[in-house]
Amino acid sequence: MVHYWRVQNAIYVRGLTKRYGEVQAVAGLDLDIEQGEVFAILGPNGAGKSTTVEILEGYRSRDSGEVSVLGVDPARPTREWRSRVGIVLQTANDAAELTVRETVRHFATYYPRPRDPDEVIEQVGLTGSAGKRVRQLSGGQRRRVDVALGVIGNPELLFLDEPTTGFDPEARRQFWELIAGLARDGTTIVLTTHYLDEAEALANRVAVVAGGRVVAEGTPATLGGRGTAKARVTWSEGEIETDDPTRTVIELSRRYDGEVPGLTVTRPTLEDIYLRLIEPS
């Protein structure tokens, strides 16, 4: 029986394990993802994040642990549960000879309560290309088709696997706006990405997976103690790490009678924290 408080989470995981022969891919992983949030899962190759997400999607079995996704064990998926989950894979095979409109309308027939195909096409920014064959589209536009197919079933939960790999900077920014719009509509989004700026721009919370476990979890601003980390104040004649950079800058300003030569104040970036978290112990 799934307890009421667990149903409030879109995803609940405790003690998840998965082994491939001698390799322990997932080693007692815990995870809580709230309904309506954008949650990013970060980690190096081989950390166990892809296996974890595939288990959550219901496409890979687990060895042990408790898993609930939208109140259902994904190891025993139902057709109704599948209709509530959208998946956008890193690479997808599409019906390249069909037009965008034909493709989206065709996929809509798979679901009991699909969204309006033309509204979805507009939402992903493809109204002007709706009559084009999918094979005629650019890489960024084809990725938007992938997202349209992921959301046409009106999912409560959307998995995005490395969604902007290969995008140019402008296309990535446009895609971020699309994902932010889906989140505003109340869709729970689970994002795996190697782009830390993407996680920082989109995610309400972030989990870093290493060695098959979650080693840190929090908002992008506070992950791994980032929010309370010392600031580094640097100027032409020296540098100092301090908990109170404002006071340090004021003291330096008095010392130099105003302008402090070469002054910079920095705090650890998300990348700094991430690299520290995934270092082998």
Side-chain angles (χ1 to χ4, degrees):
M1 180 177 70
V2 178
H3 295 289
Y4 178 79
W5 67 271
R6 290 184 190 171
V7 176
Q8 302 314 295
N9 282 346
I11 293 174
Y12 170 89
V13 179
R14 286 296 180 275
L16 181 64
T17 69
K18 178 66 178 181
R19 178 182 292 275
Y20 301 106
E22 297 299 314
V23 178
Q24 186 75 54
V26 184
L29 182 140
D30 297 337
L31 203 60
D32 290 285
I33 299 177
E34 299 174 5
Q35 292 184 359
E37 75 174 334
V38 181
F39 192 94
I41 301 177
L42 309 177
N45 293 332
K49 65 181 187 300
S50 295
T51 294
T52 298
V53 170
E54 288 170 358
I55 291 171
L56 299 179
E57 293 170 341
Y59 289 112
R60 191 170 296 278
S61 64
R62 64 185 185 268
D63 294 337
S64 65
E66 188 177 358
V67 181
S68 172
V69 178
L70 299 181
V72 173
D73 185 340
R76 295 186 288 275
T78 64
R79 185 170 183 175
E80 188 273 338
W81 178 81
R82 289 258 182 233
S83 72
R84 299 166 64 199
V85 177
I87 300 174
V88 179
L89 301 174
Q90 186 173 356
T91 57
N93 296 319
D94 49 48
E97 293 304 315
L98 297 179
T99 66
V100 171
R101 184 177 292 109
E102 290 169 341
T103 301
V104 177
R105 286 181 175 176
H106 175 70
F107 272 77
T109 65
Y110 296 160
Y111 297 94
R113 294 174 297 278
R115 301 175 68 171
D116 179 83
D118 290 330
E119 289 183 2
V120 170
I121 289 170
E122 180 180 5
Q123 185 178 28
V124 300
L126 288 175
T127 299
S129 302
K132 290 185 179 180
R133 297 184 189 276
V134 173
R135 62 175 170 80
Q136 296 175 309
L137 303 179
S138 66
Q141 289 174 321
R142 289 171 75 117
R143 199 61 177 146
R144 288 172 180 267
V145 173
D146 293 340
V147 175
L149 302 185
V151 303
I152 188 62
N154 200 23
E156 299 170 43
L157 171 63
L158 179 63
F159 289 97
L160 293 173
D161 183 15
E162 303 288 348
T164 61
T165 298
F167 277 29
D168 62 47
E170 182 180 3
R172 287 181 69 215
R173 293 285 179 175
Q174 292 173 348
F175 193 86
W176 291 358
E177 292 175 5
L178 168 60
I179 300 309
L182 293 173
R184 286 192 295 271
D185 289 342
T187 305
T188 303
I189 297 172
V190 178
L191 166 73
T192 60
T193 181
H194 283 102
Y195 297 121
L196 298 181
D197 60 336
E198 186 159 88
E200 190 152 26
L202 295 176
N204 303 114
R205 289 191 302 133
V206 174
V208 177
V209 176
R213 292 186 174 89
V214 174
V215 296
E217 183 179 321
T219 68
T222 62
L223 184 73
R226 184 185 179 196
T228 57
K230 291 180 181 294
R232 182 182 298 273
V233 180
T234 304
W235 66 103
S236 60
E237 297 179 5
E239 66 177 48
I240 187 173
E241 288 190 346
T242 175
D243 291 319
D244 192 349
T246 300
R247 176 178 295 180
T248 300
V249 170
I250 291 172
E251 291 174 352
L252 286 170
S253 180
R254 289 170 179 163
R255 183 190 306 178
Y256 287 94
D257 195 23
E259 187 74 17
V260 181
L263 177 67
T264 61
V265 180
T266 59
R267 290 190 183 273
T269 65
L270 184 59
E271 181 176 357
D272 294 332
I273 298 296
Y274 170 77
L275 292 174
R276 177 171 60 79
L277 288 169
I278 64 173
E279 284 182 353
S281 56

